[in-house]
Amino acid sequence: MVFKVDVNGHEIILDAAEEVGGKYSGPRPKPLMLTASAGCTGMDVVSILKKMRVELVDFNVIVEGDLTEEHPKQFSKMNVIYEFKGKDLPLEKLKKAVNLSEERYCGVSSLYKKAIEVTSEIRSLD
Amino acid sequence: MVFKVDVNGHEIILDAAEEVGGKYSGPRPKPLMLTASAGCTGMDVVSILKKMRVELVDFNVIVEGDLTEEHPKQFSKMNVIYEFKGKDLPLEKLKKAVNLSEERYCGVSSLYKKAIEVTSEIRSLD
């Protein structure tokens, strides 16, 4: 079940879970949908906040997905959690950056939203 | 723009292209949507053909995506190319395996199809 993937010149190894015949030696395909979403919006938010001169000490994006019970099992809902750490961070600017990514820049979640509900929340790491 | 991603215990480095401030030291997020699709249907097809006792010498899945011109740039169409190599491969069984993945098993393309058109083709590598 191991697939060697060339993503525009970068190699990733995918593998299935053990219960379906894989050895789980690399990510399973479906969670990569969440990875794509996290990376896309994460890069947006970092760029926007840099332009706004907001300095972050740490920044995480966590994307959670609910799967359907029926086959083919697929995400029925996603939630994007933005975790910010920094000194006196201006919440309004954080919200604006997240909103700009969600509404104008992120082409990954834009497609997902055509199929399912995608929610988000902002958390402070301080 | 570098993000270190933990995909259920497996690490991937994501990075942006140079024109948007990255160093392209890892895959960009959007193509990972195609990777997820390729891996999902690829594993399905391999498993199904194994059950059908069809032996493959080589097997590639190539997923191409068209992007919209307008922002947020997103995939407007995907095409999945299945490349099979083997001795006297039974085309009908290959088609059936691909079809089963597309219609019944692959939860990645199942979600994408709710948003955009996803087509496929089968090619022989012999």
Side-chain angles (χ1 to χ4, degrees), chain A residues 8 15 21 32 35 42 47 49-50 62 64-65 67-68 71 78-79 86 95 104 109 111 116:
Chain A
N8 305 112
D15 197 0
L32 279 188
T35 305
S47 315
L49 289 177
K50 199 176 173 188
I62 299 150
E64 306 165 324
L67 286 174
T68 58
H71 288 272
M78 289 183 197
N79 186 41
K95 280 184 185 170
R104 204 179 301 174
S109 61
L111 186 144
I116 58 170

Side-chain angles (χ1 to χ4, degrees), chain B:
Chain B
M1 299 295 261
V2 172
F3 276 76
K4 196 168 76 176
V5 189
D6 177 331
V7 191
N8 304 112
H10 298 283
E11 187 179 298
I12 298 179
I13 300 294
L14 301 184
D15 198 359
E18 276 149 20
E19 59 269 29
V20 291
K23 288 183 175 162
Y24 200 24
S25 58
R28 285 174 293 134
K30 218 173 285 166
L32 278 190
M33 293 175 69
L34 308 180
T35 305
S37 176
C40 176
T41 189
M43 290 179 191
D44 284 349
V45 168
V46 161
S47 314
I48 297 165
L49 289 177
K50 198 174 173 189
K51 279 175 197 152
M52 290 176 173
R53 299 181 187 281
V54 174
E55 280 191 34
L56 300 173
V57 172
D58 199 5
F59 174 50
N60 302 317
V61 183
I62 299 150
V63 184
E64 307 165 324
D66 294 343
L67 286 174
T68 58
E69 288 289 328
E70 67 276 11
H71 288 273
K73 287 199 181 183
Q74 57 198 280
F75 292 118
S76 55
K77 187 181 178 310
M78 290 183 196
N79 186 41
V80 185
I81 301 163
Y82 298 87
E83 288 186 340
F84 295 98
K85 186 174 184 176
K87 198 169 175 289
D88 300 328
L89 290 177
L91 182 59
E92 279 314 306
K93 286 186 177 174
L94 303 183
K95 281 185 185 170
K96 191 173 177 188
V98 166
N99 193 263
L100 278 170
S101 170
E102 287 177 348
E103 303 299 327
R104 204 179 302 174
Y105 296 114
C106 180
V108 176
S109 62
S110 177
L111 186 145
Y112 293 168
K113 279 183 195 168
K114 288 180 180 168
I116 59 169
E117 186 190 10
V118 181
T119 54
S120 71
E121 52 191 282
I122 289 176
R123 287 181 190 165
S124 169
L125 280 176
D126 291 315

Side-chain angles (χ1 to χ4, degrees), chain A residues 23-92:
Chain A
K23 286 180 176 164
Y24 201 24
S25 58
R28 285 172 294 133
K30 217 174 285 166
L32 279 188
M33 295 175 67
L34 308 180
T35 305
S37 177
C40 176
T41 189
M43 289 177 191
D44 285 348
V45 168
V46 161
S47 315
I48 297 164
L49 289 177
K50 199 176 173 188
K51 280 174 196 153
M52 290 177 174
R53 298 178 188 283
V54 175
E55 280 191 35
L56 299 174
V57 172
D58 199 3
F59 175 49
N60 302 316
V61 184
I62 299 150
V63 184
E64 306 165 324
D66 294 343
L67 286 174
T68 58
E69 289 288 327
E70 66 276 12
H71 288 272
K73 285 197 182 185
Q74 57 198 280
F75 292 119
S76 55
K77 187 181 179 310
M78 289 183 197
N79 186 41
V80 186
I81 301 164
Y82 298 87
E83 287 186 340
F84 295 98
K85 186 174 183 174
K87 198 169 173 291
D88 299 327
L89 290 177
L91 182 60
E92 279 315 306

Side-chain angles (χ1 to χ4, degrees), chain A residues 112-123:
Chain A
Y112 293 168
K113 280 182 195 170
K114 288 180 180 167
I116 58 170
E117 186 190 9
V118 181
T119 54
S120 72
E121 53 191 283
I122 290 176
R123 287 181 190 167

